[in-house]
Amino acid sequence: MTLSLMFEIAMLISSVCGVLVAAWLLWRARKQGDLQALAGFAIMMAIWCFGHVVLFQGYERIGIYIILANPLMPTFFLHFAIRFVNSGPVHDIMLDRLLRVIPWFYLTSFAVVLQSWWMEAGDAISTSDTRSFFIFTEAGTWNLAYTVLIGMLAHGVLLFGWYCHSGNKKRSILAMFGVGAWGLLLATSFVFPSFGISWFPYPMLLLPTYLLLLVYAVVRYQILSVNAFANRALLWLAMTLVILCLIAVISVVSGRLGLQALANVPSWQLWLYSLLMLLVSALIYQPLNRIISRLIYPGTQLNEAVLETWSSQLKEAQSWSHLINIGERLLAKQIRQSIQIRLDIDGEQSSHNSSLQSDARLAIQVYKVASDWRFALLGWDDASPGMRLTAEVFGSLFSTSCGLLEHSLALAKAERKRLDQQHLVELGSLSAAMAHELRNPLNIIAMAAYDTPAETRQHIQTQLQRADRLVSDMLVYSGGLTLHRSKVSLGALIRTVLSQAQLEGIHYQLSIDDDIELEADSQRLQQVFINLIDNAVAFLRNQADAKLFIEARVEQGAQSNLNKVVIQVHNNGPSIDEPLQGEVLFQPFVTKRAGGSGLGLAIVRRIIDAHGGEIHHRQHSDWPVTFELILPQQAPLGTDSHDTK
């Protein structure tokens, strides 16, 4: 193979690569102006390389005219550089002005091309290595100078972008500079004959790599799928180089080993046959891989589209039950069988209660170990290898989604807590102002009602007490909680509260050992039981067979000195509506009690939280309404007294 033929093949490959890259960019770019300009650069480079092929085929005049259009290449690249840099967080006035005058750059480039054609700025010479090669005449100096100047301006814009941008944009620009240096090295040999340097342009044989590397440097952080393509391309390139080296070694040693027939085969033929075999292998690899996968794993249809669908839909989950619901639906659709996902969250097992699960014999157990989410397949022993592979891939993806959801819920909880604290500060200021403004007129109304008839005075006093209780509750809820802990006998405290409550017609019972004590603020804890008992009495009053039952027990904690006191307050009043159960019940101004402020349970929650405890509404088999309080029997070190906002 002569050097002329190698050069012609390299230019032809560069031209084909330019067209393919431009088509791909236009397909992916849509309305992205920077990638459209880069596609124009790729097309112009394809045309410029094709001009060399035309020149080699003996059409010198046409080839020279095509090559003299080279000023359009850096113009398109300048257009791309301006749009690429002047996007995202960077928006520069100077770049806006350059973008507005970019049509004038195109017109100037066309003018330079026309002048070059008119003044015969190019010619062709024959050398010992090539049939015909392009050179600039004296009139072509302006063409070459203008081309270099526009290229320098484009790289100056990129340098400005590298200074202004950060992150992936900055990395892309840095990669473009590296590729630009490679392209300059390749293109330098193009002008050697124009300066009388008789040296074959070996670097131009690698010109196809310049355009591919440039486009990859630009889009690798924008179009992630191109990275997978680049990974496969590098793999096949490495295999090609290994084969070339192997053929070279075989050509050298085959004669010495007595394989004279093999030694007589020209090396280029061996390389051509090997590359042909490699190309065939590349073409049939994916189809054969799919066929073999179906033989080994029958029934499985995993591909990138399925994985992308799974990933995108799992990311839409807003809660654990929603995540389980999506997971069961996706996997059941894929394997065409009912499936159950069991999720262990903080030691409690959750699953989606769907009609499919009653008959589901296949399950995936997802659990957390330390900070990692893991999974186990349950009941898959008789499943086909394809189904097991599908379940394992899905389980891995689902475990990752659990970690993402956990992080998302933690952030949402922290944000809610921050907003609640901010709301409390605002509410505290409002409550203090309201208490000051309302209590004086309330006192005046109370004194003015002294001489009214008894029935009217009683009605006024009742409403005044309700208003005063609302103001007091708002002050308690929104103000700071200063705890003064001491040893408190739980049974004695609750009996005191019950003795002061209006329990006419309500049968109450206690099941609390007299020796149960805990370190707490007795006044705050008394407020907790006053609110809970008053709330129960409000619903039990005038109800037949009204009952109130309070029980407590001590449970061993994780550490011997941190026992827990579990208190349950039961009553047989009307059950709480399902929409109000859970966290909603303890939010401020949520109530169904006539005349209530909606702050009673919210105050209870604040006091229990300040003590480091928990309060929940529980479903109990024997009682319609049950509130469960969990308090540490001893205060943690350093918490004898503190103020919470």
Side-chain angles (χ1 to χ4, degrees), residues 303-315 330 397:
N303 51 50
E304 292 183 4
V306 172
L307 296 179
E308 181 65 27
T309 301
W310 286 354
S311 179
S312 60
Q313 294 196 26
L314 289 174
K315 287 179 181 178
L330 290 175
L397 188 60

Side-chain angles (χ1 to χ4, degrees), residues 354-543:
S354 66
S355 59
L356 293 175
Q357 287 190 12
S358 59
D359 299 327
R361 63 181 181 85
L362 303 177
I364 297 180
Q365 181 83 27
V366 184
Y367 56 94
K368 189 176 181 182
V369 177
S371 60
D372 296 329
W373 285 91
R374 302 179 183 179
F375 71 95
L377 302 183
L378 305 178
W380 295 79
D381 296 337
D382 294 331
S384 67
M387 289 179 60
R388 285 185 61 88
L389 176 63
T390 302
E392 289 175 357
V393 173
F394 184 84
S396 178
L397 188 60
F398 190 88
S399 301
T400 302
S401 299
C402 287
L404 294 176
L405 180 60
E406 182 183 33
H407 182 67
S408 176
L409 293 176
L411 290 177
K413 183 178 180 181
E415 179 64 15
R416 287 196 302 270
K417 184 176 181 181
R418 184 189 68 81
L419 293 176
D420 288 344
Q421 291 176 344
Q422 180 181 355
H423 176 68
L424 288 177
V425 172
E426 296 171 354
L427 186 60
S429 301
L430 176 64
S431 300
M434 187 175 68
H436 177 74
E437 295 295 332
L438 288 182
R439 277 182 166 156
N440 286 334
L442 289 178
N443 290 332
I444 294 174
I445 293 173
M447 290 186 293
Y450 185 77
D451 294 330
T452 59
E455 184 178 353
T456 302
R457 184 168 62 253
Q458 179 64 33
H459 181 68
I460 293 175
Q461 292 294 335
T462 300
Q463 296 303 316
L464 288 175
Q465 290 174 2
R466 177 185 175 188
D468 186 69
R469 183 170 64 252
L470 176 60
V471 172
S472 300
D473 285 349
M474 291 187 67
L475 286 174
V476 172
Y477 178 73
S478 60
L481 289 181
T482 302
L483 301 183
H484 300 283
R485 296 179 185 267
S486 61
K487 288 286 186 180
V488 177
S489 173
L490 182 62
L493 184 144
I494 294 178
R495 290 188 186 94
T496 301
V497 173
L498 288 171
S499 65
Q500 299 173 357
Q502 299 177 358
L503 299 175
E504 294 84 357
I506 299 175
H507 175 72
Y508 68 90
Q509 182 180 357
L510 295 181
S511 178
I512 302 174
D513 291 340
D514 292 335
D515 58 350
I516 295 181
E517 294 183 341
L518 65 159
E519 291 184 6
D521 187 316
S522 60
Q523 292 185 354
R524 298 294 186 185
L525 201 57
Q526 190 176 41
Q527 181 68 44
V528 167
F529 290 104
I530 289 174
N531 287 8
L532 289 176
I533 292 173
D534 284 351
N535 197 54
V537 168
F539 289 100
L540 292 172
R541 188 176 290 116
N542 300 325
Q543 176 177 310

